[in-house]
Amino acid sequence: SPVPGAAGSGWFAAGSTAQATVASETYASAPGARFAFRGWGGDASGPGLVSDPILMDGPKTALALYGTQYFLEVSSAYGIASGAGWYDAGSEARATIANGEVSLSTGARALFLGWSGDATGSATTSDAIVMDAPKVATALWTRQFLLSILSDYGQGIGGGWYDSGTTATARLDTGFVSISDGIRAVFTGWAGAATGTDPGGST
């Protein structure tokens, strides 16, 4: 066996049966890497940690067969990530985010941008990741905030979602609105999160 814990070696009477055993289904070989038991070879057979009976009608060799596996770590600041786990060496894995948009609170959300680390792609399911070593897939997000433009008169322009840290401009399509003959509403300034007295643009 390539890992510790094999037992069953010894002398047996001709015509009797013997069984080989190993102690572990898996065995850590390095951080993020392990050996996984596959079954028995040589003169032994069977899929379990204890081999099928081996007829001792001659010298026999029991080989514990192990394959290498690597761990995929999937991390995400938001949403529900999946795909993490152990994969056979040389196989392909994929990391997945359940939703590309996550509501954080009223007027705040996280928007998925793509994958980094050992993963690539901009879809919620990453491109194939070849598991030839331990791998890490990290989901990239941007936080966004909603700008709402409220006015009793005129049409607000510039409202919508903006990345955190960017600058938005709130505007009105006019500085005054005729209400009726001899009466009009005149823009006087911005309040709330906006400042200034220009209806054509305020940050």
Side-chain angles (χ1 to χ4, degrees), residues 83-106:
W86 291 96
Y87 293 86
D88 290 342
S91 65
E92 293 184 350
R94 284 176 169 81
T96 300
I97 291 294
N99 295 294
E101 180 181 319
V102 176
S103 177
L104 303 178
S105 60
T106 301

Side-chain angles (χ1 to χ4, degrees), residues 163-189:
D163 288 346
S164 176
T166 59
T167 300
T169 300
R171 292 182 290 145
L172 286 178
D173 61 346
T174 182
F176 63 89
V177 175
S178 178
I179 298 174
S180 62
D181 290 342
I183 301 175
R184 70 179 183 179
V186 179
F187 176 83
T188 58

Side-chain angles (χ1 to χ4, degrees), residues 54-153:
I54 305 166
L55 178 62
M56 297 303 295
D57 54 2
K60 299 292 176 76
T61 300
L63 301 176
L65 306 177
Y66 281 82
T68 300
Q69 292 184 328
Y70 297 110
F71 191 79
L72 172 63
E73 178 184 342
V74 181
S75 63
S76 177
Y78 307 101
I80 300 173
S82 59
W86 291 96
Y87 293 86
D88 290 342
S91 65
E92 293 184 350
R94 284 176 169 81
T96 300
I97 291 294
N99 295 294
E101 180 181 319
V102 176
S103 177
L104 303 178
S105 60
T106 301
R109 70 181 184 181
L111 201 64
F112 177 72
L113 298 177
W115 295 96
S116 67
D118 297 308
T120 58
S122 57
T124 53
T125 296
S126 73
D127 298 337
I129 305 167
V130 178
M131 297 301 295
D132 53 5
K135 298 291 177 75
V136 176
T138 303
L140 301 177
W141 299 80
T142 183
R143 286 191 306 156
Q144 293 186 329
F145 299 101
L146 180 64
L147 172 62
S148 299
I149 303 175
L150 307 177
S151 177
D152 292 333
Y153 306 100

